Amino acid sequence: MDYDALFQTQLDALKAEGNYRIFAELERQRGQFPRAISHSENTPDQVTVWCSNDYLGMGQHPVVINAMKDAVDRFGAGAGGTRNISGTNHAHLLLERELADLHGKEAALLFTSGYVSNWAALSTLGSRLPDCIILSDELNHASMIEGIRHSRAKKVLWKHNDPKDLEAKLAALPANAPKIVAFESVYSMDGDIAPIREIVEVAEKYGAMTYLDEVHAVGMYGPRGGGVAEREGLMDRITLIEGTLGKAYGVVGGYITGSVALCDFIRSFASGFIFTTALPPAVAAAAQASIAHLKASNTEREAQRQQVARLRAKLDRAGIPHLDNDSHIIPVMIKDPVKCRQLADILMQDFGIYVQPINYPTVPKGTERLRFTPSPYHSDADIDHLVAALTTLWKRCAISHAVA
Ligand SMILES: *Cc1c(COP(=O)(O)O)cnc(C)c1O
């Protein structure tokens, strides 16, 4: 059996449809965000990163770096085991308290990533609650889909951000079965925001639990960075809030928050929590410092909002179409995987602008896009440079269309 040939056939098919992924090899430079050294071929030595999920540059914030360094000096590198077997460090508990407070919940539980937290929490809830039915927004993230699948619970998809459709689906289900309504606040690819209040009201009416992924909102929305639910005053009406420490908080890790009983239940039964080494204490300490900083400081959020508005206005003035939404995510639609990659390649090679093309399976085929995420550290000059580059490329495309 030639296994490599089997692998290669599928890789070749992926390449033929333009969906083969090429990673940019970068070297982030402390204190220079969003600048990075590029180690990829045919690129300038230094590029400006326009697609980072370190939305507020906290991965390089002195408060976060110093907390991590201090913790390494005090506690060493690794946690030493699973949470159950000698891996629970004081830093994990401090972080869990910080997270519970962030979301106004009784308790929190840490995981090694946001992906794992969704996967483990949903698979445990869905498999352990007898006859549980999970109602999942049709555009939920892969980590939620995989968790639900793994739970083998009955799954009902409802139309994206549509509380009426959710209500119709809930009304058709047995009244006494446990139900979980799973959804996100900020959807990261279109940047649209869920009508959380309406969804919560429908869920309450039918006695369903609510499971909210605030991965793209924590740190960035709400007066203390508690997410969109905090901004809308709805945190106490949501059963479980899930988030990441890897995006706006700039470190790594995931978590859930909720009641003591809920977190204890997941802690006690979730394989994805029990059987894996705990996060390094220094990671926990850095994340805690980042959360605490963003609870108290609005500076980063305000500066980010300003640069997001600025980029949008400049794109409008240049006639470059982008999806309209109320978040910090600016998708410029290309709608073709090959063109999307080519544009990204030219931006990188000729203009030192790094934006990863977003192709299938991250988004449906035919909706390929460039997704820009301005941070507080993208300067006005960076924005001007980006818009000028896009304008040049749009003209070039228009010319090639005319000739063809
Ligand atoms: C990135 C992402 C996750 C996973 O979080 P990680 O900490 O990166 O594993 C979960 N949900 C959504 C919506 C995401 O975009």
Side-chain angles (χ1 to χ4, degrees), residues 113-116 118 141 143 184 188 213 215-216 242 244 246-247 253:
S113 76
Y115 186 102
V116 173
N118 272 335
H141 188 257
S143 55
E184 302 177 22
S188 69
D213 175 321
V215 160
H216 290 276
E242 182 271 347
T244 184
K247 289 171 182 167

Side-chain angles (χ1 to χ4, degrees), residues 347-370:
L347 284 171
M348 182 84 144
Q349 287 160 12
D350 295 358
F351 299 94
I353 289 166
Y354 170 46
V355 60
Q356 188 66 22
I358 309 278
N359 285 0
Y360 178 82
T362 309
V363 295
K365 289 181 182 175
T367 72
E368 294 79 9
R369 65 199 65 185
L370 302 173

Side-chain angles (χ1 to χ4, degrees), residues 24 39 46 82 95 119 140 172 194-195 273 280 328 342-343 351 379 391:
H39 289 275
Q46 199 188 56
T82 65
L95 173 55
W119 183 85
N140 275 342
F273 175 82
H328 58 284
Q342 279 171 350
L343 284 171
F351 299 94
S379 68
T391 305

Side-chain angles (χ1 to χ4, degrees), residues 235-377:
M235 290 197 297
D236 60 332
R237 290 170 72 182
I238 291 160
T239 320
L240 183 157
I241 298 176
E242 182 271 347
T244 184
L245 305 170
K247 289 171 182 167
Y249 291 125
V251 191
V252 72
Y255 65 88
I256 59 164
T257 62
S259 68
V260 166
L262 170 61
C263 292
D264 203 21
F265 179 78
I266 308 289
R267 183 187 74 90
S268 303
F269 293 115
S271 157
F273 175 82
I274 297 171
F275 296 105
T276 189
T277 300
L279 286 173
V283 165
Q288 194 203 340
S290 186
I291 296 163
H293 178 85
L294 288 175
K295 274 179 182 169
S297 168
N298 265 316
T299 316
E300 293 80 7
R301 286 187 279 273
E302 275 162 14
Q304 184 207 29
R305 235 156 261 160
Q306 195 178 325
Q307 294 313 71
V308 169
R310 189 179 182 90
L311 176 56
R312 279 213 176 94
K314 296 241 162 178
L315 288 173
D316 284 341
R317 219 170 303 158
I320 292 163
H322 53 97
L323 284 189
D324 196 22
N325 63 48
D326 294 324
S327 75
H328 58 284
I329 293 161
I330 306 181
V332 171
M333 305 304 285
I334 310 299
K335 302 182 178 176
D336 178 277
V338 177
K339 226 190 238 176
C340 198
R341 163 141 296 286
Q342 279 171 350
L343 284 171
D345 284 347
I346 300 170
L347 284 171
M348 182 84 144
Q349 287 160 12
D350 295 358
F351 299 94
I353 289 166
Y354 170 46
V355 60
Q356 188 66 22
I358 309 278
N359 285 0
Y360 178 82
T362 309
V363 295
K365 289 181 182 175
T367 72
E368 294 79 9
R369 65 199 65 185
L370 302 173
R371 172 184 174 274
F372 298 96
T373 53
S375 75
Y377 300 103

